[in-house]
């Protein structure tokens, strides 16, 4: 009776004594074609060059193996993958929810979040939530959306015009600045502040805190899942009653 004992399947290529074929198509250290040789001869050449025999194409017949420094190869591959992730830009849509009758202070606070999202190169979905009799006054939500779009026009543009969606009105703002540009600027600013901090150990606490802000943007590149934590910042849920200060 066949029994599967589990265990992970290795994705690493076979090297040296782990290669179990009678002969291989050998590639030299500089990429030159050596030809089809017995496995014993290939291992002998690997010892002679003080390198590893690495199986690079296991599905070929015979398998293709190359003489290389496998430890150095793994390190360089990991660094290339890390650099690729670092420069990768993830399309993220943030969300900000407002009420038609919103207090000026609350409006300024939420506008600040929208400005921050657009500066980071993210799209922002603005949702106006109507309750009760407010549903008969959609023009209030429309004017509020137009006001917000006008206030941030230097950072973003209206990508999706305001439209009614049930009890809500939705508009999407797109950033003028691409995500990759925003991340590059954040890295440059962070590097400049670190250099200044080394030159001036007595840097203020405010500057240190600003490092953390740009650092968060840079870290977003390595971990896209962290973007979801910012989506609901300072939002109001549709079920909960609005605070007294949110209405005029």
């Amino acid at each position: 009776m066949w029994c599967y004992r589990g265990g992970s399947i290795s994705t690493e290529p076979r090297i040296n004594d782990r290669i179990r074929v009678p002969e291989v198509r050998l590639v030299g250290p500089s990429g030159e074609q050596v030809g089809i040789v017995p496995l014993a001869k290939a291992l002998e050449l690997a010892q002679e060059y003080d390198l590893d025999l690495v199986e690079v194409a296991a599905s070929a017949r015979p398998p293709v193996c190359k003489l290389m420094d496998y430890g150095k190869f793994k390190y360089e591959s990991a660094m290339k993958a890390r650099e690729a992730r670092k420069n990768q830009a993830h399309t993220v849509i943030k969300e900000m929810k407002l009420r038609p009758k919103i207090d000026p202070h609350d409006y300024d606070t939420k506008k600040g979040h929208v400005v921050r999202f657009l500066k980071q190169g993210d799209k922002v979905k603005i949702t106006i939530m109507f309750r009760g009799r407010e549903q008969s006054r959609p023009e209030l939500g429309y004017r509020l959306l137009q006001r917000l779009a006008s206030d941030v026009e230097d950072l973003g543009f209206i990508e999706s015009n305001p439209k009614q969606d049930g009890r809500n009105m939705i508009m999407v703002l797109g950033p003028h600045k691409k995500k990759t540009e925003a991340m590059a600027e954040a890295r440059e600013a962070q590097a400049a502040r670190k250099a200044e901090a080394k030159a001036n150990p007595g840097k203020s606490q405010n500057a240190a805190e600003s490092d953390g802000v740009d650092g968060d943007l840079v870290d977003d590149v390595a971990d896209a899942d962290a973007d979801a934590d910012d989506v609901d910042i300072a939002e109001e849920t549709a079920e909960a009653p609005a605070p007294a200060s949110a209405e005029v």
Side-chain angles (χ1 to χ4, degrees):
M1 180 178 178
W2 179 81
C3 178
Y4 175 68
R5 295 182 177 275
S8 60
I9 299 176
S10 175
T11 58
E12 297 286 334
R14 294 186 297 182
I15 65 173
N16 300 328
D17 295 336
R18 293 174 57 191
I19 302 173
R20 304 291 186 180
V21 291
E23 59 184 14
V24 299
R25 185 178 298 276
L26 186 63
V27 179
S30 301
E32 68 276 12
Q33 295 289 333
V34 178
I36 298 176
V37 299
L39 177 62
K41 177 65 175 177
L43 290 172
E44 181 180 335
L45 289 173
Q47 291 181 352
E48 181 179 337
Y49 285 104
D50 193 21
L51 295 172
D52 298 303
L53 181 66
V54 182
E55 188 179 55
V56 295
S59 60
R61 291 294 179 267
V64 180
C65 295
K66 184 177 181 180
L67 298 175
M68 67 173 73
D69 184 340
Y70 186 59
K72 181 180 178 181
F73 170 75
K74 285 187 65 176
Y75 173 78
E76 291 177 349
S77 298
M79 293 301 295
K80 289 179 181 178
R82 180 179 178 183
E83 189 66 21
R85 289 194 302 269
K86 182 178 180 181
N87 295 324
Q88 185 177 5
H90 301 276
T91 301
V92 178
I93 298 181
K94 308 291 188 179
E95 182 175 11
M96 188 60 55
K97 295 184 177 180
L98 301 86
R99 293 289 308 283
K101 299 177 181 179
I102 185 171
D103 182 81
H105 175 74
D106 292 341
Y107 173 82
D108 291 338
T109 299
K110 296 200 172 186
K111 185 182 71 174
H113 289 306
V114 174
V115 168
R116 177 165 60 91
F117 294 149
L118 292 174
K119 283 184 177 180
Q120 292 177 359
D122 294 322
K123 297 181 181 180
V124 186
K125 175 183 175 183
I126 311 297
T127 302
I128 304 294
M129 300 181 299
F130 297 95
R131 294 190 186 131
R133 296 181 180 179
E134 293 175 347
Q135 298 180 57
S136 63
R137 300 288 304 279
E139 66 276 6
L140 296 177
Y142 182 83
R143 286 201 296 265
L144 181 59
L145 291 176
Q146 292 296 322
R147 173 189 172 191
L148 180 59
S150 177
D151 289 344
V152 298
E153 63 181 355
D154 56 330
L155 298 173
F157 61 95
I158 299 178
E159 185 174 284
S160 177
N161 289 315
K163 61 181 180 180
Q164 196 76 23
D165 182 17
R167 294 190 301 172
N168 300 329
M169 183 174 288
I170 297 172
M171 178 182 71
V172 177
L173 296 175
H176 292 310
K177 186 184 301 182
K178 293 183 179 179
K179 184 77 170 181
T180 51
E181 296 175 358
M183 293 187 301
E185 290 180 3
R187 290 195 202 99
E188 292 175 1
Q190 189 179 33
R193 279 194 294 271
K194 286 182 178 179
E196 183 181 354
K198 289 181 180 180
N200 182 18
K203 188 175 72 167
S204 66
Q205 181 66 27
N206 290 337
E209 291 175 355
S210 65
D211 281 347
V213 173
D214 284 339
D216 291 340
L217 174 56
V218 175
D219 292 340
D220 280 348
V221 186
D223 188 5
D225 292 337
D227 290 335
D229 296 337
D230 290 331
V231 174
D232 295 326
I233 292 180
E235 73 173 26
E236 302 171 41
T237 58
E239 292 80 7
S245 61
E247 297 186 1
V248 179

